[in-house]
Amino acid sequence: QSVLTQPPSVSAAPGQKVTISCSGSSSNIGNNYVAWYQQVPGTAPKLLIYDNNKRASGIPDRFSGSKSGTSATLGITGLQTGDEANYYCGTWDSGLRAGQVFGGGSKLTVL
Amino acid sequence: QLQLQESGPGLVKPSETLSLTCTVSGASISSGGYYWGWIRQPPGKGLEWIGSVFYTGNTYYNPSLRGRVTTSVDTSKNQVSLTLTSMTAADTAVYYCARHARLTTNWFDPWGQGTLVTVSS
């Protein structure tokens, strides 16, 4: 199982808002920056958010990131059908087995 | 515009060694300051970091794969390479290369399109 915990699936209607959570520990999210990636099936992941809340180049402000303690959240407002994808959180884990870690991914369905 | 392209064999036999290359275009690896990472994704599953190499050649690996993995840079060819030994069916995955600016920050951008590697006899 993944070091970071995400809900397997989330859903919302077009135009609505959705949040995706990412839970970790003090050795990863608690003391390191978090990134979020969008992956449309059959394509490579694309960086959405880095350093907890900074949008990557070209990413609309409908996407936002936040972090509190050992959890992080991705928010998407004004949902569009094109937002249907898998979303992954990632961070550095500075524990005994240090390295880059990712969440298991959350499948977003726009109903 | 920076682009990354993975290449290598699509099929590897069990116990054999996988060798992949990531060709970088639109920027020079030797211009410095960046890490070049390898990440894989088994079919239908999540992302797993394999390791990263700095432009100087310094390497950093996933503890769970250390001992099997080697990464390197060839600045003359503007390429990054990955070698993974003792392949098993569990290593079947899409393998991606990606650039990141800081070793201890998860900030992979951009990514290559990925290459599917299947381990089968």
Side-chain angles (χ1 to χ4, degrees):
Chain A
Q1 61 276 27
S2 303
V3 173
L4 306 178
T5 301
Q6 297 181 235
S9 63
V10 295
S11 62
Q16 297 300 303
K17 174 182 178 178
V18 71
T19 60
I20 300 174
S21 62
C22 176
S23 178
S25 68
S26 59
S27 68
N28 43 66
I29 292 179
N31 284 284
N32 294 287
Y33 289 113
V34 176
W36 289 92
Y37 301 87
Q38 177 192 62
Q39 185 180 35
V40 174
T43 69
K46 179 173 76 172
L47 179 69
L48 294 175
I49 301 289
Y50 65 97
D51 286 0
N52 301 334
N53 55 20
K54 296 181 174 63
R55 280 185 298 277
S57 177
I59 302 303
D61 59 8
R62 299 189 299 109
F63 294 86
S64 63
S66 64
K67 189 183 94 167
S68 178
T70 59
S71 293
T73 302
L74 173 70
I76 310 173
T77 60
L79 275 173
Q80 302 172 1
T81 55
D83 296 331
E84 277 208 351
N86 292 299
Y87 291 84
Y88 294 90
C89 58
T91 189
W92 175 263
D93 192 308
S94 44
L96 288 177
R97 296 173 65 80
Q100 302 284 356
V101 292
F102 293 92
S106 298
K107 166 66 176 174
L108 168 62
T109 300
V110 181
L111 302 169
Chain B
Q1 181 184 0
L2 179 65
Q3 292 186 316
L4 288 69
Q5 176 72 59
E6 304 88 349
S7 59
L11 181 65
V12 176
K13 290 183 169 56
S15 80
E16 290 189 343
T17 295
L18 171 68
S19 294
L20 295 177
T21 298
C22 174
T23 300
V24 178
S25 60
S28 172
I29 291 177
S30 58
S31 65
Y34 290 100
Y35 295 82
W36 304 86
W38 288 94
I39 301 103
R40 68 180 181 180
Q41 184 173 36
K45 296 187 178 181
L47 302 168
E48 179 184 34
W49 174 67
I50 299 170
S52 297
V53 56
F54 197 43
Y55 77 103
T56 57
N58 290 356
T59 54
Y60 310 86
Y61 301 131
N62 185 325
S64 67
L65 295 171
R66 195 169 290 140
R68 295 180 53 207
V69 61
T70 304
T71 60
S72 62
V73 292
D74 185 335
T75 55
S76 66
K77 295 181 179 179
N78 222 35
Q79 292 178 334
V80 183
S81 296
L82 168 71
T83 300
L84 189 61
T85 62
S86 304
M87 295 285 284
T88 71
D91 297 310
T92 293
V94 175
Y95 285 74
Y96 297 99
C97 60
R99 186 183 73 171
H100 60 123
R102 292 173 252 160
L103 176 63
T104 58
T105 298
N106 191 300
W107 180 357
F108 293 95
D109 181 55
W111 296 57
Q113 67 182 34
T115 186
L116 174 63
V117 176
T118 301
V119 182
S120 175
S121 55

